[in-house]
């Protein structure tokens, strides 16, 4: 029977091609994902191990504000030089290198920031007794040794076209400053490899910029040969301040490797999820193919039964064919997956991320997953057709009486499908009613509803397609009428083909409706709340220096300026976030709807409280509240006003003057600016000039602000569309496969139509229209289910997004339907051409 299965596969190579392609694409996605993440993880882990190779103990200090109570400060800004001296005197320690780090952005020749902002770093050059810093290998010049000097990583120097001796404009959190470039170096620094930049300052300069003179963020301790790392660690720990911790180099390397693995897991899971979707869609194509192959081979299978083959042997024969096809497709898909992994790595390099060098990692897990998934998915999809093949009675099959589904089997199928669809729909509605707690219920309901609708699609195909059949007849004549009849001739085949498209478009439509809805809610929130012409921010989500606020206040044409300065208060023993703003100007840049009292009281030392916060705490205008400020000083503040909650301000407002008395270094994430004459190129340039053309500071107008908040959604949607394209490609293959098989089965019928006067052009049109009808049927099902799921998921998140209201993007949905129709046309090109080229006499004689 196995030899028979092999011969059958070889005899039907063309028919099985689509199945091979479907499995191949899914396997390529799975194996490519695993090889890519394994290779990336291995490269970064090797780099991590290399960077900690000579480290006996590493010390890390934490930021000055911890996450708890107002006024909780660290005792020191880092690890002091005095502590470094004590560590250097410990038995077994050969050297201690102190590091200071913070944000530093380099301007290119056009004044734009080099790098991606979040990975633009400044640190200190820390030479040893030999004058070299072991962490950096200089290719040109040397490290900085005094104020006014810097060194740059090679990639940044190349992008900026800087050579040693030239001036370079560098921005930190303060005003931009010009430095002389003394050297260019290479480094294994992870942030530089991620597309960032690294600027090295003299140690004293870096300490002044980022901490305080004589203090370090981190220490690297090296040990003498034979010294125990753990013993040194035990000696170091008692010397450190409370806000610092020490670990051995091996522990640090291990922790970093674990972090790398965790960060790659989310990427791995996302890519594998889309591979699973592609394979799920492929199941329908594979099942369809084997169903048709079995139907075409009824006489052959009957003959096997007649000469002694049992039902089990026939079933095994079909499954053996599936296993062979799955193995071939898996092998090709695995090779393609390796190519995909290499391509993904190259794409990362093209986008600016520098991946550490390393060999391609092909793990046993990747190989096993590729072949296991490919073969098992094919066997799973072929199981039902194999079961049907085994049930065909030999005599009936030899008389060409195909095993038509009985009324009982159809009733059972439709009853199960209806029950699943209803149960799933009930779960989706219940999850939507449960709010944010109902997302898991919606997920389970969506799965059941999708399976139920897939089971019901053959039943639905007849009445739905019957609605458009008169239109097809009127517009396209006999070709349209025949296409409508052919589309429902075999409802199961039509259903399986339409199901693949329905799954893909369910996901695409659901994501689109959600994305557009959230995007419009965010856009409305921005336009409704922001009066300012510009928002000024720092790169890497850093904070602006007080000098930037002062410069903006003095800029020509500015009519109102207010920071959204972060502050903290403890009111009646409870920690509260507050926004320090400029009284009088804040109402001109942010739309604050006052509920009671007057916002003018901010200038008199009072506070304003969001309406919901005031209600939940029983506060009202005129109340005096006991507070503890961030510097631990106590006082009383009067509630001067309440206002409608806005997403752009904290629940408590105070004046910048009040905050300055308790916050020696204000934290200013953004500044809002109103200009005379509104937004214009001249006004924007005036702000840029007032800030010293700082490359690290961004000036955004209202459109930029909307793009900032909504752009991420569009980017995410585009990524999702790209990943879902794999599932849609497989769905297209399913349409091609169905039509090709249909043409093969209907050769005699097509020959008769040609003989009675249907010309080649009308035959082609008939096949194309059949494909379009099937494609649009699947698309309509997918659009409907996707919109329903988007509504349900939206119900669970609307409480978190002000102004959320479901938006159905009819233009995009219309485009999806047009594309579905185009898919049908393209998928029908080859089958239609084959049908039109049939010799009518030969076709009439074909059984």
């Amino acid at each position: 029977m196995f030899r028979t299965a092999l011969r059958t596969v070889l005899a039907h190579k063309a028919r099985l091609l689509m199945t091979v392609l479907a499995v191949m694409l899914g396997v390529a996605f799975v194996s490519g994902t695993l090889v890519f993440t394994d290779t990336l993880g291995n490269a970064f882990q090797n780099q991590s191990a290399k960077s900690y190779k000579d480290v006996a103990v590493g010390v890390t200090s934490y930021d000055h504000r911890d996450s708890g109570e107002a006024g909780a400060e660290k005792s020191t800004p880092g690890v002091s030089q005095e502590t470094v001296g004590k560590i250097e005197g410990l038995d077994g320690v050969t050297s201690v290198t102190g590091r200071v780090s913070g944000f530093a952005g380099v301007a290119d020749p056009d004044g734009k920031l080099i790098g991606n902002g979040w990975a633009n770093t400044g640190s200190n050059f820390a030479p040893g007794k030999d004058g070299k810093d072991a962490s950096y290998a200089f290719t040109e010049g040397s490290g900085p040794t005094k104020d006014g000097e810097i060194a740059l990583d090679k990639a940044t120097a190349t992008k900026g076209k800087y050579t040693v001796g030239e001036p370079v404009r560098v921005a930190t959190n303060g005003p931009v400053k010009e430095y002389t470039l003394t050297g260019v170096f290479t480094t294994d620094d992870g942030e530089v490899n991620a597309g960032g930049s690294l600027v090295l300052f003299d140690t004293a300069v870096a300490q002044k910029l980022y901490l305080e003179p004589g203090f370090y963020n981190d220490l690297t301790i090296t040990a003498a040969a034979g010294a125990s790392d753990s013993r040194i660690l035990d000696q170091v720990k008692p010397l450190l301040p409370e806000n610092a911790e020490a670990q051995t180099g091996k522990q640090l390397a291990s922790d970093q490797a674990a972090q790398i693995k965790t960060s790659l897991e989310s990427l791995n899971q996302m890519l594998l999820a889309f591979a699973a979707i592609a394979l799920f869609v492929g199941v329908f194509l594979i099942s369809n193919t084997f169903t048709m192959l079995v139907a075409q081979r009824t006489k052959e299978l009957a003959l096997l039964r007649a000469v002694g083959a049992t039902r089990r042997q026939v079933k095994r024969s079909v499954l053996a064919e599936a296993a062979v096809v799955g193995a071939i497709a898996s092998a090709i898909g695995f090779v393609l997956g390796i190519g995909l992994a290499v391509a993904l790595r190259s794409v990362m390099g093209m986008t600016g991320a520098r991946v550490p060098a390393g060999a391609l990692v092909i793990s046993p897990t990747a190989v096993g997953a590729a072949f296991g998934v490919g073969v098992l998915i094919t066997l799973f999809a072929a199981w039902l057709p194999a079961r049907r093949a085994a049930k065909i009675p030999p005599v009936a099959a030899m008389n060409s009486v195909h095993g038509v589904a009985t009324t009982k089997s159809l009733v059972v199928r439709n009853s199960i499908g209806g029950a699943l669809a209803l149960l799933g729909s009930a779960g989706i509605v219940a999850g939507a009613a449960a709010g944010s707690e109902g997302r898991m219920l919606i997920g389970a309901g969506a799965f059941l509803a999708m399976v139920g609708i897939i089971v019901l699609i053959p039943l639905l195909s007849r009445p739905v397609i019957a609605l458009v059949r008169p239109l097809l007849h009127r517009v396209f004549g006999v070709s349209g009428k025949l296409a409508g009849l052919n589309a429902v001739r075999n409802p199961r085949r039509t259903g399986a083909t339409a199901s693949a498209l329905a799954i893909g478009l369910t996901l695409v439509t659901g994501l689109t409706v959600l994305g557009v809805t959230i995007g419009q809610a965010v856009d409305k929130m921005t336009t409704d709340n922001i009066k300012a012409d510009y928002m000024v921010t720092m790169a890497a989500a850093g904070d602006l220096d007080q000098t930037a606020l002062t410069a903006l206040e003095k800029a020509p044409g500015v009519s109102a300026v207010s920071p959204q300065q972060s502050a903290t208060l403890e009111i009646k023993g409870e920690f509260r976030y507050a926004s320090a703003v400029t009284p009088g100007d804040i109402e001109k840049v942010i739309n604050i709807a006052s509920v009671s009292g007057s916002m003018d009281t901010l200038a008199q030392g009072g506070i304003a409280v969001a309406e919901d916060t005031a209600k939940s705490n029983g506060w009202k205008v005129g109340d005096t509240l006991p507070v503890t400020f961030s510097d631990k000083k106590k006082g009383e503040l009067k509630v001067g006003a309440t206002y409608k909650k806005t997403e752009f301000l904290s629940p408590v407002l105070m004046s910048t003057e009040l905050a300055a008395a308790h916050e020696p270094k204000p934290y200013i994430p953004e500044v809002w600016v109103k200009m005379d004459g509104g937004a214009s190129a001249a006004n924007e340039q005036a702000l840029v000039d007032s800030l010293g053309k700082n490359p690290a500071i961004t000036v955004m107008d209202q459109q930029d602000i909307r793009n900032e908040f909504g752009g991420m959604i569009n980017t995410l949607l585009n990524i999702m569309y790209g990943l879902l394209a794999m599932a849609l490609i497989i769905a297209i293959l399913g349409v091609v496969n169905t039509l090709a098989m249909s043409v093969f089965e209907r050769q005699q019928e097509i020959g008769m139509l040609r003989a009675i006067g249907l010309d080649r052009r009308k035959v082609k049109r008939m096949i194309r229209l059949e494909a379009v009808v099937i494609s649009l049927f699947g698309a309509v099902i997918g659009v409907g289910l996707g919109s329903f799921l988007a509504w349900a998921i939206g119900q669970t998140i609307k409480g978190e997004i002000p102004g959320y209201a479901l938006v159905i993007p009819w233009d995009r949905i219309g485009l999806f339907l047009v594309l579905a129709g185009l898919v049908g046309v393209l998928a029908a090109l080859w089958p239609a051409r084959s049908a039109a080229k049939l010799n009518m006499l030969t076709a009439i004689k074909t059984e």
Side-chain angles (χ1 to χ4, degrees):
M1 291 302 292
F2 184 71
R3 285 198 301 272
T4 303
L6 282 176
R7 286 172 183 167
T8 304
V9 170
L10 294 173
H12 300 99
K13 295 187 286 291
R15 300 183 206 175
L16 293 167
L17 178 62
M18 299 300 174
T19 297
V20 170
L21 286 172
V23 179
M24 179 187 76
L25 289 172
V27 169
F29 217 146
V30 171
S31 57
T33 296
L34 294 174
V35 171
F36 173 65
T37 50
D38 286 346
T39 299
L40 209 60
N42 184 66
F44 278 115
Q45 286 174 20
N46 288 341
Q47 183 191 61
S48 173
K50 181 181 176 183
S51 62
Y52 288 109
K53 180 182 177 183
D54 298 321
V55 177
V57 174
V59 176
T60 304
S61 64
Y62 298 98
D63 200 5
H64 66 285
R65 289 185 182 88
D66 63 4
S67 58
E69 306 163 3
E73 296 274 344
K74 68 176 185 179
S75 56
T76 62
V79 182
S80 67
Q81 184 63 48
E82 181 184 356
T83 302
V84 171
K86 291 178 181 178
I87 294 172
E88 286 176 331
L90 295 175
D91 185 35
V93 173
T94 57
S95 68
V96 180
T97 302
R99 295 289 179 199
V100 184
S101 61
F103 171 80
V106 179
D108 66 14
D110 297 324
K112 303 297 183 183
L113 183 69
I114 296 174
N116 49 31
W118 61 268
N120 289 34
T121 311
S123 189
N124 62 307
F125 176 65
K129 294 176 182 178
D130 59 357
K132 296 180 180 179
D133 189 327
S135 296
Y136 311 106
F138 279 82
T139 58
E140 297 177 53
S142 59
T145 56
K146 60 182 179 181
D147 194 3
E149 295 181 345
I150 60 162
L152 292 176
D153 69 275
K154 188 174 181 179
T156 302
T158 301
K159 288 177 184 176
K161 300 178 181 177
Y162 293 120
T163 58
V164 173
E166 287 188 340
V168 180
R169 296 177 72 248
V170 179
T172 54
N173 283 35
V176 66
K177 187 177 175 182
E178 200 168 83
Y179 296 84
T180 300
L181 182 65
T182 64
V184 176
F185 59 87
T186 58
T187 176
D188 289 329
D189 186 277
E191 292 187 339
V192 173
N193 285 328
S197 63
L198 180 59
V199 181
L200 294 182
F201 301 92
D202 175 62
T203 297
V205 175
Q207 288 175 331
K208 187 178 178 181
L209 283 171
Y210 301 124
L211 287 177
E212 291 180 16
F215 285 89
Y216 301 94
N217 294 111
D218 308 301
L219 303 179
T220 299
I221 303 167
T222 57
S228 168
D229 293 352
S230 57
R231 185 170 177 275
I232 293 173
L233 177 66
D234 292 338
Q235 295 178 77
V236 167
K237 281 183 176 179
L239 303 177
L240 300 178
E242 291 181 359
N243 63 310
E245 72 170 13
Q247 289 179 287
T248 64
K250 288 181 181 178
Q251 287 175 321
L252 288 168
S254 176
D255 289 351
Q256 193 170 81
Q259 289 172 4
I260 291 166
K261 184 178 179 181
T262 301
S263 63
L264 288 174
E265 274 178 1
S266 57
L267 172 66
N268 199 29
Q269 288 168 3
M270 182 181 73
L271 292 175
L272 288 176
F274 283 96
I277 292 167
L279 288 167
F280 184 55
V281 172
V283 165
F284 295 95
L285 190 156
I286 299 163
S287 180
N288 219 4
T289 301
F290 278 95
T291 297
M292 289 185 280
L293 285 174
V294 166
Q296 291 169 15
R297 291 164 49 210
T298 50
K299 284 191 174 182
E300 177 188 324
L301 295 172
L303 184 60
L304 289 173
R305 292 290 310 281
V307 297
T310 64
R311 286 187 174 185
R312 183 176 295 180
Q313 285 177 313
V314 170
K315 183 177 178 181
R316 284 178 181 173
S317 173
V318 176
L319 290 177
E321 290 177 43
V324 171
V325 170
I328 293 169
S330 297
I332 299 170
F334 183 70
V335 174
L336 283 178
I338 293 172
L340 179 63
V342 173
L344 284 171
R345 189 168 176 173
S346 299
V347 167
M348 285 189 70
M350 290 167 62
T351 57
R354 291 180 286 281
V355 181
L360 199 67
V361 177
I362 302 174
S363 66
T365 303
V367 178
F371 282 87
V373 165
V375 174
L376 288 176
I377 286 291
T378 311
L379 286 173
F380 172 76
W383 180 80
L384 195 58
R387 187 167 173 268
R388 287 181 189 147
K391 282 187 171 183
I392 297 174
V395 174
M398 293 184 76
N399 284 303
S400 299
V401 180
H402 295 188
V404 179
T406 63
T407 303
K408 180 181 177 182
S409 70
L410 290 174
V411 169
V412 171
R413 174 194 175 103
N414 294 333
S415 299
I416 292 172
L420 288 173
L422 284 173
L423 186 61
S425 299
I428 293 169
V429 173
S436 59
E437 303 297 321
R439 290 169 193 163
M440 293 295 290
L441 189 57
I442 290 174
F447 178 77
L448 290 176
M450 190 173 287
V451 172
I453 288 173
I454 288 168
V455 173
L456 285 174
I457 274 182
L459 176 68
L460 295 172
S461 64
R462 288 186 181 275
V464 173
I465 295 175
L467 293 174
V468 298
R469 198 183 302 153
L471 179 64
L472 289 172
H473 189 192
R474 281 199 299 271
V475 177
F476 300 103
V478 68
S479 295
K481 182 177 182 179
L482 290 171
L485 291 169
N486 289 333
V488 292
R489 173 182 290 185
N490 190 330
R492 282 185 173 175
R493 181 189 301 166
T494 298
T497 306
S499 295
L501 277 169
I503 293 165
L505 277 170
T506 294
L507 298 169
V508 169
T509 303
L511 288 170
T512 300
V513 172
L514 266 180
V516 170
T517 300
I518 294 171
Q520 289 200 15
V522 170
D523 192 63
K524 186 176 185 298
M525 178 178 69
T526 304
T527 52
D528 287 354
N529 287 279
I530 297 173
K531 292 182 179 179
D533 297 313
Y534 295 101
M535 180 176 76
V536 180
T537 60
M538 192 74 178
D543 62 310
L544 292 157
D545 191 74
Q546 182 68 38
T547 56
L549 176 59
T550 304
L552 289 169
E553 290 171 341
K554 295 178 180 178
V558 171
S559 59
V561 176
S562 178
Q564 197 283 93
Q565 178 181 325
S566 296
T568 54
L569 291 171
E570 191 178 302
I571 303 177
K572 289 188 174 181
E574 189 172 349
F575 179 74
R576 302 279 178 183
Y577 285 108
S579 291
V581 298
T582 304
D585 280 7
I586 186 62
E587 299 99 314
K588 297 176 183 177
V589 295
I590 299 291
N591 188 12
I592 302 178
S594 181
V595 177
S596 60
S598 172
M599 299 297 291
D600 293 340
T601 54
L602 290 177
Q604 300 162 17
I607 59 172
V609 182
E611 183 185 26
D612 56 347
T613 302
K615 281 184 179 179
S616 63
N617 288 278
W619 302 338
K620 58 184 183 298
V621 172
D623 286 354
T624 300
L625 307 176
V627 301
T628 302
F629 295 97
S630 58
D631 58 359
K632 299 185 180 179
K633 292 181 180 178
K634 299 183 182 296
E636 292 184 339
L637 293 176
K638 186 176 181 179
V639 178
T642 60
Y643 60 92
K644 291 280 187 185
K645 179 184 176 183
T646 170
E647 297 301 311
F648 294 91
L649 296 169
S650 299
V652 178
L653 300 183
M654 60 196 297
S655 69
T656 51
E657 186 179 353
L658 177 61
H662 304 282
E663 299 271 359
K665 189 180 185 307
Y667 183 82
I668 307 173
E670 61 214 24
V671 177
W672 303 95
V673 184
K674 188 79 174 171
M675 303 285 287
D676 294 330
S680 68
N683 279 340
E684 184 174 337
Q685 191 59 49
L687 295 182
V688 171
D689 291 342
S690 71
L691 293 165
K693 297 182 179 178
N694 191 321
I697 296 179
T698 304
V699 178
M700 293 186 282
D701 61 19
Q702 287 208 4
Q703 186 58 51
D704 293 330
I705 296 167
R706 289 198 291 270
N707 293 342
E708 177 78 8
F709 290 110
M712 189 182 299
I713 296 168
N714 291 328
T715 301
L716 191 62
L717 270 179
N718 290 333
I719 292 171
M720 295 299 181
Y721 288 158
L723 293 171
L724 286 171
M726 182 74 75
L728 291 175
I729 289 170
I730 294 173
I732 292 168
L733 293 176
V735 179
V736 176
N737 199 34
T738 295
L739 292 173
M741 292 294 186
S742 179
V743 168
F744 179 82
E745 288 178 356
R746 289 154 44 200
Q747 287 186 63
Q748 190 177 61
E749 175 190 316
I750 293 169
M752 289 293 294
L753 289 171
R754 289 289 315 283
I756 61 175
L758 197 69
D759 60 26
R760 289 185 175 183
R761 183 171 55 85
K762 289 181 179 178
V763 169
K764 285 183 179 179
R765 183 185 297 166
M766 177 184 72
I767 302 298
R768 289 195 197 107
L769 288 174
E770 184 180 343
V772 170
V773 167
I774 293 172
S775 298
L776 285 175
F777 172 58
V780 168
I781 297 290
V783 164
L785 185 55
S787 299
F788 179 46
L789 288 175
W791 165 80
I793 295 169
Q795 294 299 109
T796 69
I797 62 174
K798 68 177 185 180
E800 302 164 19
I801 303 174
Y804 182 94
L806 186 69
V807 177
I808 302 295
W810 296 110
D811 55 341
R812 297 198 191 189
I813 286 176
L815 179 62
F816 295 158
L817 294 175
V818 169
L819 289 174
L822 183 61
V823 162
V825 172
L826 294 174
L829 287 177
W830 174 53
R833 188 168 176 271
S834 299
K837 287 176 69 178
L838 284 174
N839 182 292
M840 67 179 77
L841 294 177
T842 305
I844 289 170
K845 287 189 278 185
T846 302
E847 293 187 14

